[in-house]
Each structure stands twice: as C-alpha cells, then as structure tokens.
Amino acid sequence: QHSNLESNVITCSAAISACMKCKRWQQAVALLAAMDDSALLPSVACYNSAISACGTCEQWQQALGRLVVMYNANLPPGVITCNAAISACGSGEQWQRALHLLGTMHDASLL
C-alpha cells in the first residue's frame, strides 16, 4: 500500500510538471490543492513545479503563495524552490521581493 501511495505522489508530480511545461499554472496549483484534499503529501518536487508554472506565467503572487504553504506545512524549500520563486518575482518585475528571497536563502544557509 505504501508503494501505491508513493506512485500517486510521483504521478501527481509528473502531472504538475506537465502543467508547468504547458504554461497551465491554474491546473498546476489545482493539482497541488487536490493532493492536499486527498491526503497525499505533496513533495518538494511538486511544489517546485507548481512554483515554476506560476513564475512562467508571471503569477508571482501565486508562486509566493505556494512557498508560504510549504513553510506552513513544515516542508522546507530547497535551492531549486527558492530559485523558482526568485524567477517568478523576476518575471513579475518584483525585484525587491526577489532580493528579499535571496537574503532569506542566505540566512537559511541555502547559498
């Protein structure tokens, strides 16, 4: 049963990644929310793909919102997560927020 659960997380992660590549940020965020609703714990990779999807579509607020959800779920973001969030801020011309995230990465010893 554990391997079945793991397969579902992997499958959802692949679907979120596909949404990112197709610039479908709404679907990526919806899939992430559906995982929570179905008691599947999204992995860091799931969040990375969803944050990247938001950033690709200049939805920096949504990207930062996923980052907050990660923190609230005690799922520490990694370098890839923070880079995706910084890129999302850059695509939305939010350079001050990008610099703040960079400083947060430094404080968390992710640099």
Side-chain angles (χ1 to χ4, degrees):
Q1 197 175 36
H2 177 70
S3 64
N4 187 24
L5 179 64
E6 201 167 54
S7 295
N8 288 333
V9 171
I10 292 168
T11 303
C12 288
S13 180
I16 293 169
S17 181
C19 291
M20 175 195 66
K21 291 175 185 171
C22 295
K23 298 183 179 181
R24 302 286 189 166
W25 71 270
Q26 297 99 330
Q27 287 83 1
V29 170
L31 282 168
L32 201 57
M35 288 180 75
D36 281 333
D37 292 344
S38 66
L40 287 175
L41 296 175
S43 65
V44 172
C46 293
Y47 280 100
N48 291 349
S49 294
I51 291 169
S52 292
C54 294
T56 300
C57 297
E58 299 180 8
Q59 298 295 319
W60 63 270
Q61 300 99 327
Q62 290 290 329
L64 295 183
R66 298 318 101 208
L67 195 58
V68 169
V69 171
M70 284 185 77
Y71 278 112
N72 291 341
N74 293 321
L75 186 62
V79 173
I80 294 170
T81 311
C82 293
N83 283 343
I86 288 170
S87 292
C89 290
S91 71
E93 299 181 9
Q94 298 294 313
W95 62 270
Q96 291 120 335
R97 294 181 198 278
L99 286 176
H100 177 75
L101 280 172
L102 188 62
T104 301
M105 286 178 68
H106 183 267
D107 293 345
S109 299
L110 292 175
L111 292 177

